[in-house]
Amino acid sequence: MSLPVMSSAYLAQLQEFERKILSNQTKIEAWFRQQWAQHKPPFYGSVDIRNAGYKMASIDMNLFPGGFNNLNPNFIQLAAHAAQDAVERSCPQARSVLIVPENHTRNTFYLQNVYALANILRSAGFEVRLGSLNPEITEATEFETALGDKILLEPLLRTRERVHLADGFSPCLVLLNNDLSAGVPEILQGIVQTVLPPLHGGWTTRRKTAHFAAYDQVAAEFAELLGIDVWHINPYFEQIGGLDFQEREGEDALAAAVERMLAKIQAKYDEKGITDKPFVIVKADAGTYGMGVMSVKSADEVRGLNRKNRNKMAKIKEGLEVSEVIVQEGIYTYETLDGAVSEPVVYMMDRFVIGGFFRVHEGRANDENLNAGGMVFVPLNQAIPVAGAEEGSEERCKRVFAQWDSLGVPQTNSANPDCECNRLYVYGVMARLSLLAASLELVQTAG
């Protein structure tokens, strides 16, 4: 399977952008090294990217990635090296990690993610155990994952200022794979152990608009570095608060914001000679799992929402009510796999790219949210074309792995500017810009 097919209408613009990135690779990598010397990256993260050919940008950054099970296991050693670096940066003497997962134990695919994450850390040489916040877990309990693997969840306990398990297991690093949508539990407040990502990175306090405000800074500096229009890598956005979708409060303010955003995008389209119809994404300013998201092309679409759409927008994960939204410029996805729209999702640990996948959805259009029921995942590296159809799977895996260096940077092929491996590098650059923005965001929003 090859990389997604880019629409022929926009392929030339994409290739021009890729050439700009590739011709500045040395400058870009030096710039990233300088940035990481000044800013500590989050422990891990995943970035959703949309590619319209004439525009490629991050549209979301998740600090608590839940799809490690969708990464190709052939990259486990690359991820393990990144994990070693990430842990040692926080706890230089650490030998163990305590993972705190989400509470939804019935989602076997999420449990597979936990299994995969734990496996990466174990491959990095750490003892890993799972401490659950779920009140139903009162003793060590084994669960089966979607692929039949087993994980052991143990109740998380606290003594004075440390959390631990029943036998006293209490490492210096507590790794959250729980986005704290339901709030910061008391058991984690004020402990002396290092908690990563930090508690204020959870959706209790984090806002997407704070991330994209930080991204504005990063994108502007990067665009200046390359001499490009920052719009090509940065979506417009605006925050609207004071909403109550059930009671239709704030409806007019939201409609006015949509109208402003559509006019702003249209002006840019006119400037660039783009004939697409502008659209915006309205989504909860806090939250994940693709909940509380709608795509609109007219202000009238957010006025007088029917009951179904009001219910869809009113509450997100953990039943939290939505009172603030981000109105974000919509970016078309003109990449398709087997005729279905797709978008790349890139996974990082510390400052390293460790893989990713394409989110593919047959039932969605190129202007819609793909993070919805019916989506499927195709690991990024499985989609890298390799020469020699006669090669066996083991040889192909070796060749695929060789396209990534020891720093988790996708390798490029300057001799062949049209090589599809080059697009992986561009994805990695876009993702690392968002990761850098997250590092600024976490500092700026710390209490």
Side-chain angles (χ1 to χ4, degrees), residues 332-369:
Y332 285 89
T333 174
Y334 284 123
E335 291 182 306
T336 58
L337 269 173
D338 295 329
V341 293
S342 70
E343 62 188 14
V345 181
V346 178
Y347 269 56
M348 292 158 293
M349 195 169 277
D350 196 73
R351 62 198 184 280
F352 309 121
V353 174
I354 62 169
F357 51 83
F358 291 104
R359 181 184 287 120
V360 185
H361 205 306
E362 291 185 345
R364 291 287 171 115
N366 60 12
D367 59 353
E368 292 184 292
N369 169 39

Side-chain angles (χ1 to χ4, degrees), residues 183-230:
V184 179
E186 189 175 346
I187 194 171
L188 292 176
Q189 296 177 20
I191 61 175
V192 296
Q193 291 142 299
T194 298
V195 179
L196 294 176
L199 297 177
H200 71 275
W203 288 122
T204 308
T205 51
R206 188 181 181 225
R207 295 294 179 266
K208 296 178 190 290
T209 44
H211 173 76
F212 283 100
Y215 187 82
D216 277 349
Q217 299 175 243
V218 171
E221 186 174 337
F222 184 77
E224 184 178 358
L225 179 76
L226 296 191
I228 62 174
D229 183 342
V230 70

Side-chain angles (χ1 to χ4, degrees), residues 31-32 35-36 39-49 58 60-65 82 89 197 206 211-212 214-215 218-219 346-354 407-408 427-443:
W31 181 79
F32 271 122
Q35 295 300 319
W36 297 132
H39 308 289
K40 182 181 178 181
F43 185 90
Y44 53 16
S46 65
V47 175
D48 296 352
I49 296 169
S58 161
D60 218 345
M61 165 73 194
N62 187 358
L63 287 174
F64 305 88
R89 273 176 174 249
R206 188 181 181 225
H211 173 76
F212 283 100
Y215 187 82
V218 171
V346 178
Y347 269 56
M348 292 158 293
M349 195 169 277
D350 196 73
R351 62 198 184 280
F352 309 121
V353 174
I354 62 169
L407 296 179
Y427 290 153
V429 170
M430 295 299 106
R432 286 182 287 159
L433 291 176
S434 198
L435 187 74
L436 177 57
S439 69
L440 299 181
E441 169 201 356
L442 289 173
V443 171

Side-chain angles (χ1 to χ4, degrees), residues 24 30 36 45 72-73 98 138 147 157 160 164 196-197 226 257 323 331 344 393 410-411 418 424:
N24 285 282
W36 297 132
N72 192 304
L98 177 58
T138 57
L147 298 181
L157 306 173
R160 292 183 290 278
H164 58 88
L196 294 176
L226 296 191
S323 62
I331 301 176
S393 60
Q411 292 298 280
D418 296 325
L424 290 183

